[in-house]
Amino acid sequence: MKRGFLRRRAPRRAAAALAVVLLAAGCGNAAEDHELADVVRAGPVDDLGLRTGKPYDGTKIRLLICCNTTAQFLGIQDRTSAEFTKRTGIEVEWANIPYESFLQKIVAESALGTGTYDLVAWTDAFGASVRLGVQPLDGVMERAGMTLEDYPPPFREAATAGDPGTTYGLPFRGYAYSMYYRQDVYEKFGFEPPETWDEYFGQLAELKESSPRHPIAGQYGRGSGQNLFTWLSMLWSNGGELFDADGNVAFTSPQGVQATEKYIEMIRKGYSPRASANWNETDATQSLEQGRADTVLTWTWQYDDFTNPNKVAPEVAENVRAAQIPGWEGKERVPYGMTWLMGVLRSSEKQGAAWEYLKWVSNAKTERAVALDKSKPDQATSISVHTSNMLDPEVNAANGGIPKLQYEALRNGRVIPTSINWPQFQDTLEVAINRMAHGGDVRSELDAAAARIKKIEETGG
């Protein structure tokens, strides 16, 4: 699935419940007592840190992942056979799982350890559910001279899967929440990319009066927590939090209420169309792509679609530009940063070969080659997770400056708290936001969501 990543709510709840039960029971698998550093072979390596002499020649490993038609994933898969397998003799199968059942599948595989897969990929929100079944990487990373220093802070945090001080996965795809706008429209109105939400809302008001398009294409519908992306960025930038240091709900604070009211104001004042009360990410981004919106708030990876004349209206491809999302007057901008991690499953009997692939996939040189390769439009990607690549002039020139924009955003970026209950928390919050978009009182809905989350924490649902 290229985007949207819609999920059904019931499987998420079932997966979270399964993970809670298994964690409480201390369930694991046969390989759990072995550190990865004790399993993999040591020896001389090449310029990419891969073992020389092909010690795993003829080995076939399987990666559990979803959404393998994403442009970046397609590019990595092509290079896997052409470069990685050629160097190592290791064959890699990407076993694609539909996103709707992905969480349930990775929780079951991590907890029960069937041995079907050797590596698993997950989004940061699933870290607490996955870490039971993946190998800590600190030992093998130290032996290989690898660190997390070349990743921005949100990605380093996500790599710990909620267990500070331990690395369970390495980032290989990640992005920042950002703002896209029509440069031709902004030039016509004499606008510059807004620094603050007040400045942005002033622009939206002018566009509403004079532009034939939607000033902004919002996404307030339920599904995959997508209506939380903008809200979280506004909440954090205003000094609000989801939870306080003691784990108590904190989004009902004055800062939380103010941020939420501002977010809902976009649709209540008609800056985002009334229909966006039911829109998801795809609905919103397609509104910009089809020339029906002047701005949209979304992920940096969307640049690849927005600038593709084969996918969007020509005037959009020629004029779309990206900027950091606005912030609050006198406060730091704190955008949401999301990442995909990859780790080695404890139950794998081929952990040495799996570690070789993880080293290659997460290598900055591999990432750079994919980011620079524009020979196949369906594999072209502007996304980098290594700071060195995000600041690389050649990588930026090939990708419209998106890597550096992402670097600037992620210096203060945040990730959602890693919790086994996050899928249920997310369901609760997205329902509250959707109700507000349909006219519900902001304060009342926040209070109701807080009560529901407290119940989930106390009773498991």
Side-chain angles (χ1 to χ4, degrees):
M1 186 181 297
K2 178 172 73 70
R3 57 188 165 185
F5 294 170
L6 297 179
R7 315 173 213 171
R8 297 192 185 102
R9 297 172 67 221
R12 284 215 306 278
R13 289 198 295 268
L18 173 63
V20 170
V21 171
L22 291 169
L23 281 169
C27 293
N29 51 62
E32 66 181 347
D33 293 328
H34 299 287
E35 291 293 332
L36 186 57
D38 298 328
V39 176
V40 302
R41 304 177 192 175
V45 297
D46 62 17
D47 61 314
L48 293 179
L50 303 176
R51 286 289 314 280
T52 58
K54 295 186 176 181
Y56 302 104
D57 192 16
T59 302
K60 180 177 180 178
I61 58 176
R62 301 188 77 211
L63 165 65
L64 175 59
I65 193 170
C66 93
C67 323
N68 67 1
T69 58
T70 298
Q72 181 185 8
F73 293 170
L74 288 174
I76 295 174
Q77 289 174 77
D78 260 13
R79 289 179 180 274
T80 294
S81 56
E83 298 177 9
F84 176 76
T85 301
K86 183 178 179 181
R87 280 181 180 247
T88 65
I90 301 169
E91 183 181 348
V92 185
E93 177 187 348
W94 284 46
N96 191 50
I97 303 296
Y99 200 86
E100 290 83 357
S101 56
F102 187 50
L103 175 57
Q104 193 168 19
K105 180 67 175 176
I106 62 177
V107 166
E109 188 66 31
S110 297
L112 301 178
T114 65
T116 305
Y117 303 97
D118 305 289
L119 298 131
V120 62
W122 67 92
T123 56
D124 45 30
F126 300 161
S129 300
V130 174
R131 72 170 185 255
L132 173 71
V134 294
Q135 285 278 25
L137 300 176
D138 304 277
V140 286
M141 288 177 64
E142 181 178 5
R143 193 165 72 187
M146 298 169 59
T147 72
L148 297 176
E149 290 306 309
D150 197 26
Y151 298 107
F155 298 170
R156 294 200 298 267
E157 180 180 345
T160 70
D163 181 13
T166 304
T167 303
Y168 291 94
L170 294 178
F172 71 107
R173 174 173 170 80
Y175 26 83
Y177 212 61
S178 56
M179 172 190 171
Y180 285 89
Y181 63 98
R182 287 275 298 267
Q183 184 184 42
D184 55 337
V185 173
Y186 264 50
E187 288 179 348
K188 178 181 177 181
F189 281 80
F191 295 160
E192 294 291 335
E195 296 287 329
T196 67
W197 290 111
D198 285 342
E199 183 183 356
Y200 184 39
F201 275 59
Q203 294 174 352
L204 296 178
E206 286 193 51
L207 291 170
K208 183 175 183 292
E209 291 298 318
S210 305
S211 174
R213 291 166 293 275
H214 310 314
I216 179 175
Q219 50 191 43
Y220 292 92
R222 291 168 55 185
S224 196
Q226 294 172 355
N227 64 12
L228 303 181
F229 299 159
T230 301
W231 177 70
L232 285 169
S233 297
M234 297 180 80
L235 173 74
W236 289 328
S237 295
N238 198 33
E241 297 287 348
L242 286 170
F243 303 96
D244 64 22
D246 297 320
N248 300 311
V249 169
F251 55 76
T252 55
S253 67
Q255 297 93 332
V257 173
Q258 182 185 29
T260 310
E261 288 177 338
K262 197 73 170 177
Y263 178 37
I264 299 302
E265 189 178 316
M266 290 181 186
I267 188 169
R268 290 191 176 172
K269 288 196 171 182
Y271 303 149
S272 186
R274 196 69 231 155
S276 67
N278 298 311
W279 282 3
N280 59 28
E281 179 182 75
T282 301
D283 298 320
T285 56
Q286 285 185 345
S287 185
L288 181 73
E289 291 173 357
Q290 296 167 4
R292 294 184 283 108
D294 291 324
T295 71
V296 70
L297 303 175
T298 189
W299 302 107
T300 42
W301 69 262
Q302 291 280 1
Y303 175 84
D304 304 315
D305 282 350
F306 290 159
T307 57
N308 187 339
N310 296 322
K311 294 182 178 180
V312 304
E315 66 272 15
V316 175
E318 295 167 2
N319 287 291
V320 73
R321 298 293 184 272
Q324 289 198 53
I325 61 167
W328 298 84
E329 188 72 43
K331 299 179 181 180
E332 291 272 10
R333 289 187 261 203
V334 185
Y336 184 5
M338 183 182 289
T339 185
W340 286 73
L341 296 306
M342 188 183 296
V344 177
L345 283 162
R346 291 176 179 267
S347 57
S348 168
E349 296 181 355
K350 305 170 184 176
Q351 294 183 25
W355 171 237
E356 291 298 295
Y357 189 59
L358 179 53
K359 286 190 292 183
W360 180 82
V361 166
S362 62
N363 191 289
K365 293 179 180 178
T366 301
E367 176 182 77
R368 186 176 190 275
V370 173
L372 290 176
D373 188 356
K374 306 302 177 185
S375 61
K376 298 179 181 179
D378 65 330
Q379 297 182 11
T381 180
S382 59
I383 293 302
S384 297
V385 297
H386 292 86
T387 298
S388 56
N389 286 330
M390 285 188 269
L391 295 178
D392 185 304
E394 190 176 356
V395 172
N396 275 280
N399 293 285
I402 292 296
K404 187 175 181 181
L405 173 71
Q406 180 162 297
Y407 164 77
E408 295 290 346
L410 291 174
R411 287 191 299 172
N412 293 317
R414 294 277 298 276
V415 294
I416 56 175
T418 303
S419 168
I420 205 76
N421 289 317
W422 176 254
Q424 295 181 79
F425 295 166
Q426 177 178 281
D427 285 342
T428 300
L429 289 166
E430 72 172 348
V431 167
I433 293 294
N434 184 249
R435 287 175 175 168
M436 295 175 206
H438 282 92
D441 178 70
V442 169
R443 182 73 209 213
S444 298
E445 293 295 344
L446 287 177
D447 287 342
R452 171 61 179 155
I453 286 174
K454 184 177 180 181
K455 181 182 178 182
I456 291 170
E457 291 178 316
E458 292 175 347
T459 67

